[in-house]
Amino acid sequence: MADGSDSPKEACGVFGVRDQHQPVAHLTYLGLYALQHRGQESAGIAVSDGTKVTVDKDMGLVSTIFSSHRLQALPGTMAIGHVRYATTGASAWNNAQPISRYAGGVYFALGHNGNLVNTRELTAHTGEGEAGSDSDVVAALLAQHMTHHNSDLADATLHVLPRLHGAYSFVIMDEARLIGARDPHGFRPLFLGSLDTGGWVLASETPALDVVGARTVREIDPGEMVIIDDDGVRSVQFATGQPRALCSFEFVYIARPDGHLAGIGVHAARRRMGIALAQQAPADADMVMPIPDSSIPGAQGYAQAAGIAYGDGLIKNRYIGRTFIAPSQQLRDSAVRLKFNAIGDNVTGKRLVVVEDSIVRATTLRATMRLLRDAGAAEIHLRVLSPPYRWPCYYGLDTHDRHTLVAATMTVDEIRDHLGADSLAYLDIDTMLTAITTDQSGFCTACLTGDYPTPIPGASEARIGTGTR
Ligand code: SF4
């Protein structure tokens, strides 16, 4: 994906750690740093020293928010952390996570990856009026249950989870225990890891476990809650029998390539998608190049299968944060040139296969195609590692508005012309899933097929089908 303002902003990343042998704020910082790609708008850490929970959160990147000095002010041996992109609720400090509450004589904090689809219905039960986000509603329901039933956080969580519909991977903690939970469909990933010191770690992706020196123990199962306290890890299966619906877009774009999901290496899956794409949509060309960075393994696979030289046609500026919204076309073009620059020597006079992982809104990709033309590309054959993104995601990506999705309103030929490519081909859905794994069941493909795994209250576009592949 051209990784600009037209890309979906990834949902969120969560991290949790409990280790009685060391202060854990620095570990949480490292874990969040490894998950930064999942959300760049805000970040936060909550720590417990056994008697109180302290939360520090702010707008911005993990590295800009948390100085060493600021981390030292977060003493404690248990923590949760969160990186966020606003998919529900405004982009504002008070929607940054972890969210914290005081209820029933206990402080607790919560971090959420995913989107609930029944937030409005749940809000009516909180008695708090309009909530800031779906995650706020969950915190309110937990607080309500703890207060009214005099229950602890684990009991309250077990009571509230079955009322939530949609996508969630949670990390939740009070002064004494760390809880992880994953929705019954398993839309978003969540892993359990162990430290040599005897501590336990929860993280959205395995690279965040690697970076803190934790061994990946296993994925938290869909419908499972784990409670980590002085007695170790206890597992409770709070829901069973729901079809699995791991987000297939995690493999296409969201997850880091150096991680594993459902036992499948993400880098290898992307490479297999490229191989399959070369077989499905060959092109006469001199060079195969990726739109960096997420399309690199796919382009390598395409080049290998097609027997065409792999090369770099674009350099990405690695120090760029979020693309600012430029007020004029000229400035928007400059913003793209700041992010990408063509390597003229590599593309001039060449017939290029340009591999992209997905096309969502297409504005940055269109400008990137112009860059390659201006640099002298003779032909551009655009190849996409996933099917057309035609349907909104209600499970944690910010693609709620169908009218902004280029494939929802244009045919493939129209998109080709809109982008200024000589040819355009997408990987079909069955081939994409086969490239990910031999077992095609258990994936959400709703944004690619319109087949939603859950009812979406109030969403007229949503065709509700079996929802899983
Ligand atoms: S709709 Fe698409 S992006 Fe959203 S969870 Fe399903 S596969 Fe992932």
Side-chain angles (χ1 to χ4, degrees), residues 1-3 6-8 249 252-253 291 295 354-366 369 382-391 399 404-408 410-412 415-416 418-419 421 423-427 447-448:
M1 194 170 298
D3 198 17
D6 56 340
S7 310
F249 223 64
V252 174
Y253 170 69
I291 304 278
S295 308
V354 176
V355 177
E356 177 62 305
D357 51 70
S358 53
I359 303 176
V360 177
R361 299 186 183 95
T363 48
T364 302
L365 182 58
R366 190 175 183 213
M369 295 290 101
L382 188 57
R383 296 292 179 268
V384 188
L385 296 159
S386 55
Y389 196 112
R390 291 203 170 100
W391 302 88
T399 56
T404 63
L405 308 176
V406 71
M410 289 188 198
T411 65
V412 172
I415 297 169
R416 178 201 62 209
H418 175 72
L419 293 172
S423 73
L424 168 63
Y426 292 85
L427 195 60
C447 53
L448 312 172

Side-chain angles (χ1 to χ4, degrees), residues 168 181-186 220-225 236-240:
Y168 54 85
R182 195 168 170 208
D183 71 70
H185 294 284
I220 304 302
D221 280 332
E224 182 187 12
M225 167 175 136
V236 182
Q237 195 69 39
F238 64 89
T240 53

Side-chain angles (χ1 to χ4, degrees), residues 167 187-188 245-250 254 389 391-397 399 443-448 451-453 467:
F187 282 103
R188 299 284 156 218
L246 173 62
C247 169
S248 59
F249 223 64
E250 293 272 355
I254 302 173
Y389 196 112
W391 302 88
C393 175
Y394 298 101
Y395 307 119
L397 253 66
T399 56
F443 290 103
C444 175
T445 57
C447 53
L448 312 172
D451 196 5
Y452 289 85

Side-chain angles (χ1 to χ4, degrees), residues 68-90:
S68 170
H69 181 68
R70 207 158 160 175
L71 289 170
Q72 271 162 17
L74 294 170
T77 55
M78 186 168 68
I80 62 171
H82 190 268
V83 287
R84 180 172 195 262
Y85 183 81
T87 51
T88 71

Side-chain angles (χ1 to χ4, degrees), residues 66-319:
F66 292 105
S67 61
S68 170
H69 181 68
R70 207 158 160 175
L71 289 170
Q72 271 162 17
L74 294 170
T77 55
M78 186 168 68
I80 62 171
H82 190 268
V83 287
R84 180 172 195 262
Y85 183 81
T87 51
T88 71
S91 169
W93 185 90
N94 56 350
N95 280 329
Q97 298 192 21
I99 293 164
S100 60
R101 293 262 177 159
Y102 181 74
V106 172
Y107 283 102
F108 72 90
L110 169 151
H112 175 200
N113 174 201
N115 264 14
L116 303 183
V117 296
N118 64 333
T119 307
R120 193 171 299 166
E121 173 209 322
L122 293 168
T123 304
H125 296 285
T126 62
E128 293 191 2
E130 200 58 35
S133 70
D134 55 347
S135 315
D136 256 333
V137 174
V138 177
L141 291 172
L142 288 172
Q144 191 180 52
H145 196 270
M146 290 164 75
T147 305
H148 293 169
H149 299 270
N150 198 24
S151 66
D152 69 19
L153 182 66
D155 284 343
T157 306
L158 212 44
H159 178 87
V160 167
L161 290 179
R163 300 170 64 187
L164 313 180
H165 299 158
Y168 54 85
S169 285
F170 284 122
V171 288
I172 313 173
M173 64 175 238
D174 58 15
E175 291 101 335
R177 59 182 72 78
L178 171 63
I179 293 171
R182 195 168 170 208
D183 71 70
H185 294 284
F187 282 103
R188 299 284 156 218
L190 186 63
F191 288 87
L192 176 69
S194 65
L195 294 162
D196 287 344
T197 50
W200 296 95
V201 184
L202 296 165
S204 293
E205 294 185 32
T206 54
L209 299 177
D210 299 338
V211 91
V212 300
R215 184 176 63 84
T216 302
V217 175
R218 63 180 179 87
E219 285 195 39
I220 304 302
D221 280 332
E224 182 187 12
M225 167 175 136
V226 290
I227 302 142
I228 303 168
D229 58 19
D230 284 345
D231 298 327
V233 181
R234 185 160 54 94
S235 164
V236 182
Q237 195 69 39
F238 64 89
T240 53
Q242 307 255 25
R244 280 182 175 240
L246 173 62
C247 169
S248 59
F249 223 64
E250 293 272 355
F251 285 98
V252 174
Y253 170 69
I254 302 173
R256 281 175 58 139
D258 49 339
H260 286 72
L261 295 170
I264 302 159
V266 176
H267 186 278
R270 287 184 187 156
R271 195 176 173 101
R272 288 193 297 271
M273 289 180 209
I275 292 170
L277 187 56
Q279 290 158 352
Q280 189 194 302
D284 270 339
D286 306 307
M287 184 174 102
V288 177
M289 56 163 282
I291 304 278
D293 288 324
S294 47
S295 308
I296 291 172
Q300 289 169 341
Y302 190 109
Q304 177 198 329
I308 301 172
Y310 174 89
D312 292 319
L314 291 165
I315 291 297
K316 181 178 172 184
N317 187 330
R318 294 181 196 287
Y319 305 101

